[in-house]
């Protein structure tokens, strides 16, 4: 198994039947952002799709010459889930910093420069999370979270306008809306797995993702564990666009996976009702 002893930044990007156009835009923005760093960058694409291996290889080969980073593909292991897919990449790295990146994320040109500058300046930090905006530079997305309660998850799941209005304060506090809207850096309990800029030593110390989470809540769990070995920080000057959607918009299969993962999360970390 190859170990990387030279790259200062490694990136893992797990794909599963991804939109190739969006994946190309993601990797291109990553390349543009990494150009400003002046360090070696190595990107590992993990293909969880059980098919389309040759198609993905051909797609990446056409783009690779345009990228400012070296590219590696891990495939033919089947759909092992988001957590284990990233861990397959973690086993191959020995970098200073590591970025966990979704294929539906677009980076601003200075995203990596700002995030790595903060990690370089403060050795107590384990994880930095960006400000995330809806596609087409839309409104800000509230991706930072407090420890979830059963009530909050239920409200977000059923999406009742009447109940959401009644419990608007609880929902706002859960999403750190006041802190996020202030445009000032703060330390959230939980950050989104779509973009996690980590100190690799901290990531190795906690053992990466918990592979019992196939999909959903693996980022909640990792955030809490990374917060125990260092400081987790939201950096509003580090900006991305995120095209992702909630489980409810992806059909009942995803709803079921969400519920199963929520049960595993509460079993591991403790149930909070309200």
């Amino acid at each position: 198994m190859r170990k990387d002893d030279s790259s200062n930044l490694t990136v893992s990007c797990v794909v599963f039947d991804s939109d190739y156009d969006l994946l190309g835009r993601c990797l291109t923005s990553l390349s543009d952002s990494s150009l400003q760093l002046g360090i070696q960058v190595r990107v590992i694409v993990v293909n969880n799709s059980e098919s389309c291996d040759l198609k993905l290889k051909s797609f990446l080969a056409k783009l690779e010459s345009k990228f400012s980073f070296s590219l590696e593909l891990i495939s033919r292991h089947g759909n092992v889930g988001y957590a284990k897919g990233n861990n397959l990449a973690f086993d191959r790295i020995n970098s200073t910093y590591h970025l966990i990146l979704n294929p539906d994320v677009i980076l601003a040109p200075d995203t990596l420069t700002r995030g790595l500058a903060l990690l370089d300046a403060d050795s107590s930090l384990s994880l930095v999370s960006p400000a995330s905006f809806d596609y087409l530079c839309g409104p800000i997305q509230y991706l930072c979270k407090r420890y979830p309660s059963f009530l909050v998850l239920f409200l977000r799941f059923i999406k009742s306008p009447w109940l959401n209005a009644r419990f608007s304060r609880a929902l706002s506090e859960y999403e750190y809306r006041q802190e996020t809207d202030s445009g000032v850096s703060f330390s959230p309990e939980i950050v989104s797995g779509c973009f996690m800029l980590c100190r690799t030593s901290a990531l190795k110390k906690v053992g990466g993702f918990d592979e019992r989470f196939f999909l959903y809540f693996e980022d909640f769990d990792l955030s809490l564990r990374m917060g125990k070995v260092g400081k987790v920080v939201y950096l509003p000057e580090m900006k991305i666009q995120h095209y992702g959607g909630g489980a409810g918009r992806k059909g009942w299969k995803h709803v079921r996976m969400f519920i199963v993962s929520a049960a595993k999360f509460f079993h591991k970390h403790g149930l909070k009702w309200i």
Side-chain angles (χ1 to χ4, degrees):
M1 183 174 292
R2 177 185 167 208
K3 291 282 186 179
D4 181 21
D5 295 317
S6 58
S7 295
N8 289 306
L9 173 67
T10 48
V11 183
S12 56
C13 183
V14 175
V15 300
F16 177 77
D17 293 341
S18 295
D19 179 329
Y20 280 20
D21 176 65
L22 188 53
L23 173 61
R25 292 173 59 197
C26 170
L27 294 176
T28 298
S29 72
L30 176 63
S31 178
D32 292 342
S33 191
S34 64
L35 271 172
Q36 302 184 29
L37 297 177
I39 61 173
Q40 286 187 299
V41 180
R42 174 176 163 229
V43 177
I44 304 172
V45 175
V46 183
N47 181 21
N48 272 2
S49 300
E50 296 179 4
S51 59
C52 303
D53 187 56
L54 292 177
K55 183 179 179 182
L56 179 59
K57 283 182 179 179
S58 175
F59 175 78
L60 294 175
K62 291 178 181 178
L63 293 176
E64 189 172 8
S65 62
K66 303 176 183 178
F67 293 151
S68 61
F69 48 73
S70 63
L71 185 64
E72 180 180 345
L73 177 64
I74 302 176
S75 59
R76 299 188 180 279
H77 51 264
N79 187 12
V80 295
Y82 186 79
K84 188 171 183 177
N86 273 292
N87 284 351
L88 289 174
F90 297 164
D91 289 341
R92 301 182 178 218
I93 68 170
N94 190 27
S95 53
T96 306
Y97 304 115
H98 184 78
L99 171 62
I100 300 164
L101 180 68
N102 272 18
D104 58 0
V105 166
I106 308 297
L107 286 69
D110 62 350
T111 294
L112 293 177
T113 303
R114 290 181 178 275
L116 292 178
L118 184 61
L119 284 167
D120 279 338
D122 190 346
S123 61
S124 71
L125 302 184
S126 61
L127 171 58
V128 181
S129 179
S132 179
F133 297 85
D134 207 348
Y135 61 92
L136 302 179
C137 299
I140 195 165
Q141 297 172 330
Y142 299 99
L143 296 186
C144 294
K145 303 289 190 295
R146 285 186 167 86
Y147 192 95
S149 68
F150 178 84
L151 173 63
V152 163
L153 292 182
F154 175 75
L155 291 171
R156 287 167 60 87
F157 179 75
I158 63 171
K159 300 185 187 306
S160 164
W162 182 80
L163 284 174
N164 284 358
R166 183 176 176 84
F167 292 97
S168 60
R169 181 176 178 180
L171 290 168
S172 178
E173 288 181 351
Y174 171 65
E175 294 184 326
Y176 287 101
R177 286 184 175 248
Q178 183 176 347
E179 292 85 349
T180 302
D181 288 340
S182 72
V184 177
S185 181
F186 64 94
S187 296
E189 290 182 271
I190 292 166
V191 298
S192 171
C194 72
F195 186 106
M196 291 174 139
L197 185 58
C198 307
R199 193 177 303 278
T200 304
S201 58
L203 192 59
K204 295 276 191 179
K205 190 171 184 178
V206 302
F209 281 110
D210 185 338
E211 295 179 7
R212 289 174 291 182
F213 296 95
F214 183 84
L215 187 64
Y216 302 117
F217 287 91
E218 71 287 320
D219 51 350
F220 283 46
D221 171 73
L222 182 62
S223 295
L224 293 177
R225 290 186 290 117
M226 290 288 278
K228 291 179 180 179
V229 299
K231 191 176 180 181
V232 176
V233 170
Y234 166 79
L235 182 62
E237 294 82 11
M238 187 169 66
K239 294 179 172 62
I240 64 169
Q241 292 181 29
H242 183 221
Y243 288 71
R249 283 185 268 171
K250 298 177 181 178
W252 281 104
K253 182 179 179 181
H254 279 262
V255 169
R256 180 182 178 278
M257 285 192 288
F258 182 89
I259 293 171
V260 169
S261 290
K264 290 178 180 178
F265 177 83
F266 285 132
H267 178 75
K268 179 176 182 178
H269 295 283
L271 177 59
K272 179 182 176 182
W273 286 101
I274 299 175

